[in-house]
Amino acid sequence: MGSGLTVLVVLNGDIDSAFLAQQVAAADYVVAADGGASAVTALGAHCDVIVGDGDSLGEAGFAQARAANPDVEIRRFPTAKNATDAELALRTALEADPERIVVVGAFGGARLDHELATVMLLASPRWRDREVVLADGCRDVRLVTDRAEIRGRVGDLVTLLAVGGSAENIQSSGLAYELDGRSLEVGTSLGVSNELTGSTARLAVGSGMLLLVHEHGSGGN
């Protein structure tokens, strides 16, 4: 499914400006969650939509975003709401019917609870038929329910964590510790710190869901 578009979602976590600039250049549409808009305008770029309660962006930030793009759509929500700004931004991104959603600024920041909640958003059925990746230039996190290809360098760390129940009949190729039909249970660390043995690894999941964490350049040649 999807229109072939890539939507960039910018959250208010830790952001490498050079990496963000690459993602902005590659995106067809930019959605910022609250303070994430400041990171975009600091590059001299603009947001297409800003969503959130505005507590971290402030009126000055909204003014800067409007100056960068007078046509920016602003969707303001009350502070007391039933979804985080990150979830609201992902819902907004989905309206463009994208094939791929890249989320920058999902990691770090002042709120560990928000960081964990954002990672767990990957398991939502709302966007499970799209490619959604949380990325910061050093790592990618995505959900695998069927097949995945992992591209990187020898020694890159790859961690697999079951979510929502056990993941069964996992097959892999190109990892130092192949899965060979094994299952991973929720609450086990068995899938932590595997490694790429070449530039590409492949993964297949018989049933269930896996969080795939790929740490780029974490070791090897």
Side-chain angles (χ1 to χ4, degrees):
M1 293 182 64
S3 58
L5 296 177
T6 295
V7 174
L8 174 64
V9 171
V10 185
L11 307 184
N12 196 33
D14 294 340
I15 294 177
D16 178 86
S17 59
F19 179 73
L20 177 60
Q22 293 173 358
Q23 300 309 309
V24 168
D28 299 291
Y29 197 70
V30 178
V31 177
D34 203 347
S38 294
V40 177
T41 55
L43 295 174
H46 71 265
C47 308
D48 295 291
V49 185
I50 301 172
V51 301
D53 54 29
D55 63 342
S56 56
L57 184 58
E59 294 306 322
F62 282 116
Q64 290 176 339
R66 290 190 188 97
N69 177 20
D71 295 324
V72 63
E73 180 183 354
I74 295 176
R75 303 183 185 182
R76 295 194 73 165
F77 292 81
T79 302
K81 55 189 186 300
N82 294 326
T84 63
D85 290 341
E87 182 173 354
L88 295 172
L90 278 168
R91 292 182 189 179
T92 302
L94 200 60
E95 294 173 13
D97 191 28
E99 182 175 328
R100 188 167 192 257
I101 301 174
V102 178
V103 183
V104 174
F107 311 129
R111 296 285 301 273
L112 175 62
D113 55 343
H114 279 219
E115 182 175 0
L116 293 173
T118 299
V119 172
M120 295 309 296
L121 283 174
L122 291 173
S124 171
R126 287 178 181 267
W127 34 74
R128 202 174 294 163
D129 59 346
R130 316 299 168 111
E131 180 186 357
V132 183
V133 58
L134 314 181
D136 67 358
C138 297
R139 64 193 55 81
D140 301 334
V141 182
R142 52 186 160 137
L143 188 76
V144 181
T145 59
D146 184 13
R147 297 180 181 275
E149 185 173 83
I150 309 161
R151 297 182 181 179
R153 300 190 306 167
V154 174
D156 280 4
L157 295 181
V158 174
T159 287
L160 304 173
L161 301 171
V163 291
S166 62
E168 308 284 344
N169 190 25
I170 305 168
Q171 303 287 342
S172 66
S173 62
L175 296 178
Y177 309 101
E178 302 290 15
L179 279 300
D180 294 329
R182 296 192 67 164
S183 299
L184 289 177
E185 304 293 333
V186 173
T188 179
S189 57
L190 177 64
V192 173
S193 295
N194 213 324
E195 294 183 11
L196 289 182
T197 58
S199 61
T200 304
R202 291 177 174 81
L203 189 70
V205 181
S207 63
M209 299 185 293
L210 286 175
L211 279 177
L212 189 164
V213 183
H214 176 196
E215 300 277 353
H216 297 277
S218 41
N221 312 347

